[in-house]
Amino acid sequence: MTDDIGAPAVGTDGNPLSGPQPEVARAAGYPDAPPRMGFFTDTSVCIGCKACEVACKEWNAIPEDGLELTGMSYDNTQGLGADTWRHVAFIEQRKPLGGQEPGVSHDDVDVFAAARGLGASPSSPGPGATAPAPPGTQAPAGAPAGEISPLAPDGRTELRWLMSSDVCKHCTHAACLDVCPTGSLFRTEFGTVVVQEDICNGCGYCVPACPYGVIDQRPDDGRVWKCTLCYDRLGVGMEPACAKSCPTDSIQFGPLDELRERAAARVAQLHAAGVTDARLYGEDPDDGVGGDGAFFLLLDEPEVYGLPPDPVVTTRDLPAMWRHAAAAAAALAALAVAGFARRPR
């Protein structure tokens, strides 16, 4: 291990740039580090309110970033960037919801018939309803009273929304930190990764190094910005602004080990309820980045949420590459020496 703050955390496999690292802050030079802190984002209870985005911008004084609709969803911030440190993704799917509560099944519900009857049928009264619905336009049996079940035009497939608040993952092995030439990026005593913008020289090496595409440069001066996990709030015992503002506790903050236990219990609960697609993403210390400090419960494949399915720290193979380069240089030097030694005098 190293005593230099901001230095790579040496993994248990001997590679300083990869592998599990249970004490990432100690490995970075904090002998009395507190428990590693992080985020667990339970997307199954995210309602897409974007309170986390607003709170993040307000607390960190992040500039407005355009609020441009993608044209493919109600998402108006599009992705993480230098001016968006929290991003709530809106993903629309023609897929069954899964794990429905008894009595609210949406099978065989015709959305158009339900829409025609909305506001006219006794089962779904609405403003101005003065007469019973015409024959054949009553909401089908099994549809919740007053609600329209969103189905495809053929009536066979349901519509569901997947919403997820994305953020910097604060990786155990952070390639952005590894490649920073100025020390602008550093590991905190809480195990998080923070950018010191006043030291950043705008080289941009960290941008392609991030396996998640999180860190980004501002066009005016080239400096990079990303989530700090509200390092200033953590230092005075406060939780990050996004977690504080989340009305459904979709974003949960705390010691990483406790969050992993809580997340595993939540997945088991969802599986028991019939939501078999529920899975954790980024919690495994044996994955390609040594586990994330911010991990997620997803209801579909990571690619659906715009996340890489098998992220790997981009600097993992640097030690082997340098060894191979040194071996090649030594071989060339040996050949040169041998050539001169055999030359006739």
Side-chain angles (χ1 to χ4, degrees):
M1 294 185 182
T2 177
D3 292 330
D4 297 329
I5 294 178
V10 181
T12 56
D13 63 354
N15 185 341
L17 301 176
S18 68
Q21 176 48 262
E23 297 183 347
V24 64
R26 289 180 182 271
Y30 298 96
D32 300 319
R36 184 179 180 184
M37 309 300 284
F39 285 130
F40 163 47
T41 302
D42 182 354
T43 68
S44 69
V45 294
C46 179
I47 59 175
C49 68
K50 290 182 177 280
C52 54
E53 287 191 17
V54 175
C56 178
K57 279 185 174 290
E58 288 185 344
W59 179 262
N60 295 290
I62 303 173
E64 188 268 339
D65 51 359
L67 300 178
E68 297 179 1
L69 291 170
T70 64
M72 300 180 66
S73 77
Y74 290 106
D75 179 7
N76 60 7
T77 46
Q78 304 186 27
L80 294 174
D83 295 331
T84 303
W85 300 359
R86 268 278 179 189
H87 167 242
V88 179
F90 286 68
I91 301 152
E92 184 180 287
Q93 289 185 322
R94 295 287 184 181
K95 189 171 182 178
L97 299 175
Q100 293 293 329
E101 296 295 329
V104 294
S105 172
H106 296 289
D107 295 338
D108 301 322
V109 178
D110 186 341
V111 63
F112 301 105
R116 287 193 298 270
L118 187 64
S121 69
S123 62
S124 58
T130 58
T137 61
Q138 301 289 343
E147 295 183 21
I148 299 177
S149 184
L151 305 187
D154 58 11
R156 294 179 300 178
T157 307
E158 298 182 51
L159 175 73
R160 72 171 180 176
W161 283 98
L162 297 180
M163 298 174 183
S164 173
S165 181
D166 197 9
V167 72
C168 172
K169 313 306 182 291
H170 295 275
C171 310
T172 296
H173 295 285
C176 60
L177 187 155
D178 295 340
V179 302
C180 180
T182 65
S184 172
L185 284 133
F186 73 99
R187 180 82 61 180
T188 75
E189 66 271 29
F190 302 104
T192 59
V193 178
V194 173
V195 180
Q196 301 173 97
E197 63 274 4
D198 57 333
I199 300 177
C200 177
N201 66 357
C203 69
Y205 293 163
C206 54
V207 176
C210 176
Y212 297 101
V214 167
I215 197 164
D216 189 26
Q217 295 173 283
R218 286 183 182 165
D220 54 348
D221 61 5
R223 292 183 297 169
V224 298
W225 305 78
K226 73 172 191 67
C227 163
T228 67
L229 216 147
C230 285
Y231 183 44
D232 52 345
R233 294 173 65 95
L234 268 57
V236 294
M238 300 170 65
E239 67 178 321
C242 57
K244 182 73 173 178
S245 67
C246 182
T248 64
D249 280 337
S250 173
I251 302 172
Q252 301 177 34
F253 166 77
L256 193 58
D257 289 340
E258 294 181 12
L259 293 177
R260 286 171 174 167
E261 294 179 4
R262 191 184 306 169
R266 175 61 176 162
V267 170
Q269 180 186 25
L270 288 173
H271 286 178
V275 187
T276 57
D277 286 341
R279 86 273 320 264
L280 295 180
Y281 177 85
E283 94 296 349
D284 186 2
D286 293 314
D287 67 14
V289 296
D292 292 325
F295 65 100
F296 303 81
L297 186 156
L298 305 179
L299 298 179
D300 208 326
E301 298 292 338
E303 300 94 317
V304 172
Y305 295 85
L307 297 168
D310 188 20
V312 175
V313 57
T314 51
T315 53
R316 178 192 62 181
D317 298 325
L318 282 180
M321 292 168 62
W322 282 113
R323 286 195 298 269
H324 294 154
L332 289 174
L335 288 172
V337 170
F340 279 108
R342 294 176 181 176
R343 188 176 64 179
R345 296 183 181 179

